[in-house]
DNA sequence: TCCTTATTGATAATGATTGTCAATATGGAT
DNA sequence: ATCCATATTGACAATCATTATCAATAAGGA
């Protein structure tokens, strides 16, 4: 029986105000710098709950650290992420859904699920790199 | 300047004899049980080197732990992995390559790279589950 | 054979994440 | 408004995969 607490609300708001993926550590540091007394464990718990409630997405960084981002659209989607600045855009992936289902079936696999993330340099960072 | 050592050879062989993804911890435990004195740090180092040399693939488990698998085919490929038994098959993914490139370009992203893995229940496990 | 230096392995260190538990707060009943 | 059951918090401890440290050892070339 989940209860609403001011801490959960604060974490949720902090995450929503960020458009990009962010780690629990980072989010906690930001909240702390803004004067919040919320504990790190609470940040982790809240983020985990948001993911379970399909209100946020989780992603593993190359380092193995979990990153979180508030969902800006409902339903199944994927991410296009700038590996320089972190800017993230949500993308639909019907083509990949179909492909994954087909490939799985061809190999006799059932209950297919897929992990698909696209990284690159966003327009802004691409332009900066060229200069 | 990498040198060939009997330890590296042993780790490489152990990995090759496994067709599925395996963690460094697991591989180390197996080697130890088989009487080997190779240290855990050496297993990690060797696996990391194999990945750098494109002789092995790395994958992050949902737990955040890194898993490794010897490459059985050259060049770019992806994996179809049974989340029950770990059985793994390599699959090409031209369709996804194309999709990723197109999506990235549509959003102004350059230097696109993607992470694509498909999980499901392999034929054997699917059959076992149905029984 | 000797020598340079890469590598090893036991152990320590690191850092993200989760567990613990007394204290606190939520939300519903009265 | 008060009371109560219990969910939640947060400081700190625990966990665990991974990497760093460094004396000892080994590879590879002269």
């Amino acid at each position: 029986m989940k209860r609403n607490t001011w801490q959960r609300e604060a974490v949720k708001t902090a995450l929503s105000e960020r458009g990009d993926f962010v780690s629990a550590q980072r989010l906690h540091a930001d909240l702390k710098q803004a004067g919040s007394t919320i504990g790190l464990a609470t940040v982790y718990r809240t983020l985990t709950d948001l993911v379970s409630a399909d209100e946020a997405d989780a992603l593993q960084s190359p380092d193995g650290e979990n990153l979180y981002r508030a969902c800006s659209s409902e339903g199944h989607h994927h991410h296009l992420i700038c590996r320089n600045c972190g800017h993230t855009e949500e993308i639909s992936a019907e083509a990949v859904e179909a492909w994954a289902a087909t490939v799985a079936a061809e190999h006799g696999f059932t209950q297919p699920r897929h992990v698909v993330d696209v990284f690159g340099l966003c327009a802004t960072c691409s332009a900066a790199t060229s200069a």
Side-chain angles (χ1 to χ4, degrees), chain A residues 6 11 21 44 47 64 67 71 77 89-90 92 96:
Chain A
W6 67 268
V11 171
F21 276 97
Y44 269 109
L47 290 174
L67 302 178
C71 294
H77 58 265
E89 298 189 18
E90 290 183 3
S92 63
V96 180

Side-chain angles (χ1 to χ4, degrees), chain A residues 6-69:
Chain A
W6 67 268
Q7 292 93 337
R8 284 170 171 286
E9 200 54 48
V11 171
K12 187 175 177 181
T13 298
L15 187 66
S16 294
E17 292 176 343
R18 270 181 169 273
D20 313 329
F21 276 97
V22 61
S23 66
Q25 298 281 353
R26 174 79 262 158
L27 201 59
H28 179 248
D30 288 352
L31 283 165
K32 187 173 180 179
Q33 175 153 44
S36 172
T37 57
I38 299 178
L40 177 59
T42 296
V43 173
Y44 269 109
R45 281 185 292 234
T46 303
L47 290 174
T48 300
D49 290 339
L50 287 175
V51 171
S52 294
D54 287 319
E55 297 186 51
D57 290 316
L59 165 65
Q60 286 175 318
S61 80
D63 308 324
E65 187 175 19
N66 274 335
L67 302 178
Y68 306 84
R69 181 175 179 275

